[in-house]
């Protein structure tokens, strides 16, 4: 089955021409699809054409299977189902600057970070661009007076391990005839696949790059992130500098504070020294404890102390607000729970 929504307008034209249809229909179909319409709603197309489209491909690649709403802050956690029966997660957060959607880029993940629930069962497959767009449309369908305004690729999966589909998604979601979401409102988070980060810097896509750093040195990073055995911190930070140089945008470093691992004031000092002079921002987040692993979050005081050291060293840093803590808001937690419950 074709995924119509994952095609660029030129590809849609080509596909229509091959079906013996008029290529100018491509523009109409593109905007219908990206508005989330079903074939049956595409009323300016003939019934025959709508049937042809439906026979050759799908209109909606993603459906909402379950929604949980946080009583604390209204955050919505979605469990989405895909056409092949796989399921993925997304999280919709309501910030004062607009609705922010966190989407998945793969079914599972193979990066093996010790603290992350998404990776516990490995990676099933990468998502297509249409499946990433479908998550945005699902979220739009439950929003009342607004649309998704910001997108973060921070759900399950490693975006740089699904490179072509992610780049295609970014071009399509920001397309003026489509959802038209500004690239400056999109963040792509990576655990640090250096060659892909360097390639990504050259795509001409002014998104925010987030690097999951989580450690001030290679020794600690290697304890919690297998990718750190492949690429040293120096190589990884160099790739970040290259990204800054090429795009003119600052890089955001994600740093999950893990008790007894990376959260001491000495770690903060070491981190500050490593990042000195870089155009960057550090996002601190107390680790969301994952029951399967013996890694624990930190107290408010530990967060404050860590932050204080960074500030004293003039490193821009904030504590990221945790959203949806009561609904298994963190990466991979809900999918994991559903898979666990489904097991006999
Ligand atoms: N693979 C990408 C994007 C998905 S993970 C990446 O590694 O960046 C999104 C973010 O959530 C990453 O910063 C990741 O390190 C973080 N994360 C994963 N599990 C977490 C947990 N238990 N507590 C806090 N942050 C977590």
């Amino acid at each position: 089955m074709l995924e119509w929504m994952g095609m660029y307008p030129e590809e849609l034209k080509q596909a229509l021409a091959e079906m013996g249809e008029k290529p100018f229909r491509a523009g109409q179909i593109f905007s219908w699809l990206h508005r989330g319409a079903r074939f049956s709603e595409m009323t300016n197309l003939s019934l025959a054409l709508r049937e042809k489209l439906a026979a050759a491909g799908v209109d909606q690649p993603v459906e909402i299977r379950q929604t949980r709403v946080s009583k604390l802050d209204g955050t919505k956690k979605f469990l989405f189902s895909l056409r092949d029966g796989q399921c993925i997660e997304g999280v919709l957060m309501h910030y004062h600057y607009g609705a922010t959607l966190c989407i998945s880029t793969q079914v599972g993940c193979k990066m093996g970070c010790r603290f992350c629930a998404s990776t516990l069962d490995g990676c099933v497959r990468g998502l297509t661009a249409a499946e990433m767009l479908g998550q945005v449309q699902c979220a739009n369908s439950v929003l009342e007076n607004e649309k998704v305004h910001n997108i973060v690729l921070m759900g399950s999966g490693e975006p740089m391990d699904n490179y072509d589909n992610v780049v295609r998604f970014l071009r399509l979601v920001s397309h003026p005839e489509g959802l038209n979401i500004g690239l400056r409102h999109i963040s792509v988070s990576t655990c640090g696949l250096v060659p892909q980060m360097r390639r990504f810097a050259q795509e001409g896509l002014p998104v925010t790059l987030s690097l999951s750093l989580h450690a001030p040195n290679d020794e600690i990073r290697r304890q919690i992130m297998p990718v750190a055995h492949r690429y040293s911190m120096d190589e990884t930070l160099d790739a970040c500098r290259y990204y800054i140089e090429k795009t003119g945008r600052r890089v955001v470093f994600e740093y999950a504070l893990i008790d007894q691992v990376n959260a001491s004031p000495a770690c903060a000092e070491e981190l500050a020294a490593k990042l000195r002079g870089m155009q960057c921002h550090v996002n601190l987040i107390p680790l969301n404890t994952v029951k399967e692993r013996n890694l624990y979050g930190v107290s408010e005081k530990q967060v404050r102390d860590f932050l204080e050291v960074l500030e004293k060293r003039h490193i821009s840093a904030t504590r990221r607000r945790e959203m949806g803590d009561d609904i298994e808001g963190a990466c991979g937690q809900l999918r994991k729970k559903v898979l666990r419950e489904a097991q006999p």
Side-chain angles (χ1 to χ4, degrees):
M1 291 294 261
L2 294 174
E3 282 187 325
W4 293 113
M5 211 195 295
M7 293 183 192
Y8 293 125
E10 313 77 65
E11 293 170 339
L12 205 49
K13 267 188 198 155
Q14 180 69 31
L16 287 172
E18 281 165 18
M19 289 165 65
E21 295 290 337
K22 303 249 181 337
F24 79 87
R25 295 281 177 205
Q28 292 169 324
I29 297 169
F30 187 86
S31 56
W32 276 122
L33 285 167
H34 288 261
R35 259 183 279 155
R38 303 231 152 188
F39 294 132
S40 59
E41 297 166 314
M42 303 184 184
T43 46
N44 59 354
L45 307 179
S46 71
L47 189 60
L49 176 54
R50 284 186 256 156
E51 280 169 356
K52 245 185 185 178
L53 292 170
V58 296
D59 47 4
Q60 300 206 333
V62 180
E63 272 168 26
I64 299 176
R65 176 160 141 193
Q66 202 189 102
T67 308
R68 293 186 176 196
V69 184
S70 165
K71 291 188 187 69
L72 303 174
D73 51 37
T75 295
K76 293 185 184 67
K77 176 109 194 191
F78 302 109
L79 189 70
F80 297 118
S81 28
L82 309 177
R83 309 287 297 199
D84 63 354
Q86 293 293 338
C87 69
I88 50 167
E89 296 174 35
V91 185
L92 181 61
M93 294 155 286
H94 302 278
Y95 290 113
H96 65 275
Y97 52 81
T100 299
L101 179 69
C102 174
I103 65 165
S104 293
T105 56
Q106 295 182 312
V107 181
C109 183
K110 63 167 182 258
M111 295 297 127
C113 298
R114 296 273 309 147
F115 46 82
C116 184
S118 297
T119 198
L120 291 169
D121 301 305
C123 180
V124 179
R125 64 176 178 87
L127 299 187
T128 63
E131 287 169 328
M132 294 178 227
L133 288 162
Q135 297 174 65
V136 184
Q137 289 180 342
C138 285
N140 276 338
S141 75
V142 305
L143 281 168
E144 275 157 26
N145 301 313
E146 53 175 344
K147 295 272 176 244
V148 170
H149 190 254
N150 310 285
I151 300 175
V152 298
L153 278 64
M154 287 195 185
S156 294
E158 168 49 48
M160 294 292 133
D161 186 43
N162 188 17
Y163 189 92
D164 292 340
N165 287 317
V166 164
V167 167
R168 178 178 280 268
F169 162 73
L170 294 172
R171 296 199 197 287
L172 286 170
V173 79
S174 59
H175 196 287
E177 305 300 323
L179 287 167
N180 198 16
I181 296 180
L183 290 165
R184 290 189 157 72
H185 297 165
I186 301 179
S187 291
V188 177
S189 184
T190 177
C191 66
L193 298 180
V194 168
Q196 289 92 322
M197 286 165 69
R198 289 186 166 269
R199 186 175 159 205
F200 194 59
Q202 302 167 48
E203 295 284 353
L205 293 166
V207 299
T208 299
L209 184 70
S210 286
L211 177 84
S212 297
L213 189 58
H214 304 319
N217 58 46
D218 281 320
E219 197 194 332
I220 296 178
R221 201 160 188 260
R222 284 174 189 152
Q223 288 170 24
I224 50 177
M225 299 179 73
V227 70
H229 291 281
R230 266 157 83 189
Y231 307 107
S232 71
M233 217 163 122
D234 285 344
E235 279 174 280
T236 311
L237 292 180
D238 272 346
C240 292
R241 287 188 192 94
Y242 182 69
Y243 191 85
I244 296 165
E245 183 193 309
K246 279 280 164 194
T247 63
R249 299 186 59 79
R250 71 177 186 177
V251 166
V252 174
F253 293 110
E254 304 291 332
Y255 198 106
L257 291 162
I258 312 174
D259 198 28
Q260 310 286 327
V261 176
N262 65 2
S264 68
C267 285
E269 289 286 358
E270 198 178 350
L271 178 67
K274 281 266 162 59
L275 302 185
R276 188 163 44 220
M278 258 178 110
Q279 194 183 325
C280 68
H281 181 82
V282 178
N283 241 336
L284 292 177
I285 174 166
L287 187 83
N288 227 315
T289 302
V290 175
K291 290 179 202 122
E292 288 82 355
R293 307 278 202 213
N294 278 336
L295 296 171
Y296 299 94
V298 296
S299 68
E300 275 311 311
K301 181 172 184 316
Q302 284 169 286
V303 182
R304 270 200 315 274
D305 290 350
F306 201 95
L307 200 54
E308 209 170 275
V309 172
L310 295 183
E311 281 165 356
K312 217 165 53 201
R313 302 284 173 222
H314 308 291
I315 303 290
S316 154
T318 42
R319 174 203 198 292
R320 186 163 78 195
R321 201 146 57 95
E322 290 149 286
M323 308 282 278
D325 222 10
D326 56 335
I327 50 167
E328 263 96 18
C331 222
Q333 287 186 359
L334 180 60
R335 174 168 179 270
K336 180 71 194 158
K337 187 158 187 276
V338 170
L339 292 180
R340 202 166 43 223
E341 286 163 1
Q343 276 159 14

